Amino acid sequence: MADHQEASVTLPSEPASVSAARRYVAEILGEWGMPPGSDAADTVRLIVSELATNAVQHTFGQSPTFTVDVQLDRDEQLRIGVTDSHPRWPKRLPAAVQQDNGRGIVIIRCLTAECGGRVSVQPTREGGKTVWIELPWTVPVQQPVAQ
């Protein structure tokens, strides 16, 4: 496998794009060797779902699109970033016990930490931000078969 691989997709900021982002990342990770039904794949799909949902719901129409970047470095570290053009950084919203929202960034942080990773936020030159997750790549490196 190459020292660095990356893939990217830009989607409209609408609810249907959340599942499109999740499918896109799952397909890329499958191509890179992550088994689709593995715990790691399920965790990454949930994290991507939460990141994409935040990009759609919490930009208040100020970000017409969002971009999902997927990077794998030296078969050691997986980075996934979701970029939108809204300037407000993610924060935990007050959520009543009965509410279904306000916990996305908490879920992202918990899942990432459980996997031994970290979450960071970087501003973009255009005034938006990218929320990055970094996770150790736990998929065994597949050696090419000698013929």
Side-chain angles (χ1 to χ4, degrees):
M1 198 172 268
D3 279 351
H4 180 81
Q5 296 187 77
E6 59 183 58
S8 178
V9 65
T10 298
L11 300 164
S13 289
E14 55 189 43
S17 294
V18 173
S19 60
R22 191 173 49 241
R23 274 192 311 276
Y24 177 79
V25 171
E27 288 172 11
I28 293 299
L29 296 182
E31 290 173 15
W32 293 350
M34 182 178 281
S38 67
D39 287 345
D42 290 344
T43 298
V44 170
R45 277 196 309 273
L46 180 54
I47 290 170
V48 169
S49 240
E50 292 294 334
L51 289 171
T53 297
N54 285 351
V56 170
Q57 287 187 344
H58 300 296
T59 58
F60 306 105
Q62 292 183 16
S63 184
T65 62
F66 66 95
T67 301
V68 180
D69 293 296
V70 187
Q71 303 171 354
L72 179 59
D73 291 317
R74 291 182 293 285
D75 297 321
E76 295 174 1
Q77 181 182 41
L78 175 66
R79 295 184 78 216
I80 299 174
V82 174
T83 303
D84 64 58
S85 56
H86 193 280
R88 190 178 73 191
W89 287 28
K91 62 180 178 178
R92 181 171 189 226
L93 299 175
V97 175
Q98 294 83 13
Q99 285 183 317
D100 290 333
N101 61 5
R103 297 179 195 84
I105 197 66
V106 173
I107 292 168
I108 293 164
R109 288 186 189 284
C110 288
L111 288 171
T112 302
E114 283 177 9
C115 295
R118 68 185 201 102
V119 178
S120 62
V121 183
Q122 292 179 316
T124 64
R125 280 179 249 167
E126 298 79 26
K129 81 272 186 195
T130 303
V131 180
W132 287 101
I133 61 145
E134 297 175 3
L135 301 171
W137 182 256
T138 57
V139 177
V141 177
Q142 297 178 4
Q143 299 299 323
V145 177
Q147 295 187 17

